[in-house]
Amino acid sequence: MTDRALFAHAEELRQRRAPFVLATVVRARRPTSARPGDRALVLADGTVEGFVGGVCAESTVRLQGLRVLASGRPVVLRITPDAATEDGGAGRVGDVEDVGDVEDVEDTVTVANPCLSGGAVDVFLEPQLPAPLVQVFGDSPIARALREVGEVLGYDVRACAADPEFTADTRAVVVASHGRDEEGVLTAALRADVPYVGLIASPRRGRAVLGELAQPGADRVHTPAGLDLGARTPHEIALSVYAELIATRSSTSAGAVPADVSGAAEVSEAVDPVCGMSVAVGPTTPHVVRDGRRYHFCCTGCADRFASDPARYVAAGAAHAP
């Protein structure tokens, strides 16, 4: 996959609000096949698209990429054949190590990869998580300002239809249509249990609209939406709404999460009985079934070696098991 194709796919994933990890090789020591600048995407289902090294390095990037996706924290992954750690060579997210001339990183994870042919590689794993989703209903000056200010603040702001179906990751709905189809959108937002629902209206009109809502939880609607900052212009009003959204997020179900990670699959792991590597278990993970038990491998090479002498590696696998 070329860089152009990879970045185009990454942008498509962002538009679909699909979480993924961008893996970039930042340093390589021969004779590894990867080079600085090589890139890959790790998708939420464990699929790796692109190139960051051979099959064993890719298996490690897959496992650590899924961990990064679950934690939401970027790391530098150091894959080396001679790492020595207390847990047998597989460091975990949060284990901070001496990274030499690699500076200004949140975390470094060092993983021993016995499949490597003597080389080593450092890969920066950067989670790409959907920004908090805000849906704005209306085409008034305030609605347009809500979209402009929200984008500056890092929200994913999208226009809302008059008959919406809100997804579970919708963080906020703000109605700024000045009397047009307000009740239907507010009702849909309340039924979807959207954490923040706001109505741009005067106090008197806001009370009247809420009084017409035949929907439980109408008292959750913030109206007039926004903190009382003395705002006058559309952009000032939009700023006051986001200020209220920030102020109230700690008391809402999604408040502690700045971005959505709900699309990330739970990381399931297994130990390769041939080489001892920890591997992420997914639909494409090589495996062999013996005596009713499924054994997973970092690559087809290890799977073939296991199949040629299962008894030998079943005993070895028991030694590798935690």
Side-chain angles (χ1 to χ4, degrees):
M1 177 179 286
T2 65
D3 276 356
R4 177 177 295 180
L6 185 141
F7 288 134
H9 189 202
E11 185 58 31
E12 176 191 347
L13 292 170
R14 292 189 184 97
Q15 289 298 316
R16 292 196 284 111
R17 297 185 54 77
F20 65 95
V21 170
L22 176 61
T24 305
V25 175
V26 295
R27 184 165 59 177
R29 185 181 73 193
R30 293 180 180 178
T32 180
S33 57
R35 297 182 178 182
D38 285 340
R39 298 181 178 89
L41 307 180
V42 182
L43 309 188
D45 64 357
T47 301
V48 177
E49 300 180 355
F51 182 80
V52 284
V55 291
C56 291
E58 180 180 295
S59 180
T60 301
V61 168
R62 175 184 292 107
L63 175 58
Q64 298 298 330
L66 289 174
R67 287 178 175 174
V68 163
L69 201 56
S71 71
R73 296 163 54 191
V75 302
V76 171
L77 169 63
R78 173 164 293 172
I79 307 174
T80 173
D82 52 9
T85 62
E86 294 181 359
D87 64 354
R92 296 190 177 275
V93 172
D95 295 340
V96 181
E97 313 239 355
D98 180 7
V99 297
D101 58 351
V102 179
E103 300 178 351
D104 298 326
V105 295
E106 282 196 23
D107 280 312
T108 295
V109 176
T110 300
V111 175
N113 188 330
C115 293
L116 287 176
S117 57
V121 62
D122 290 355
V123 185
F124 181 48
L125 301 177
E126 183 181 9
Q128 305 288 306
L129 306 176
L133 177 60
V134 176
Q135 299 208 41
V136 176
F137 178 67
D139 193 32
S140 64
I142 294 176
R144 293 192 290 272
L146 282 163
R147 289 190 279 270
E148 294 171 4
V149 173
E151 290 172 359
V152 171
L153 294 176
Y155 292 89
D156 182 356
V157 187
R158 303 192 178 190
C160 172
D163 54 347
E165 293 185 5
F166 295 111
T167 56
D169 62 342
T170 302
R171 174 68 183 84
V173 172
V174 184
V175 176
S177 61
H178 297 286
R180 295 179 177 85
D181 302 316
E182 295 170 326
E183 292 83 355
V185 176
L186 293 172
T187 298
L190 292 172
R191 287 177 177 171
D193 199 26
V194 175
Y196 177 92
V197 182
L199 170 64
I200 302 296
S202 66
R204 180 178 179 180
R205 198 175 70 80
R207 289 192 298 270
V209 172
L210 298 189
E212 295 295 324
L213 289 182
Q215 176 64 32
D219 56 340
R220 288 203 303 111
V221 177
H222 297 266
T223 186
L227 297 181
D228 186 4
L229 305 178
R232 296 182 179 180
T233 68
H235 286 84
E236 290 176 345
I237 294 171
L239 179 61
S240 75
V241 172
Y242 286 106
E244 185 173 53
L245 176 56
I246 294 169
T248 59
R249 68 185 178 188
S250 61
S251 62
T252 63
S253 58
V257 183
D260 177 53
V261 296
S262 60
E266 182 178 351
V267 182
S268 180
E269 302 177 35
V271 176
D272 185 325
V274 175
C275 67
M277 280 182 56
S278 292
V279 297
V281 176
T284 62
T285 306
H287 65 273
V288 172
V289 178
R290 176 178 170 79
D291 297 331
R293 179 178 175 183
R294 188 182 298 265
Y295 296 87
H296 293 89
F297 306 92
C298 68
C299 62
T300 55
C302 281
D304 292 342
R305 290 171 63 187
F306 178 90
S308 67
D309 191 358
R312 171 187 176 186
Y313 293 112
V314 166
H320 290 314

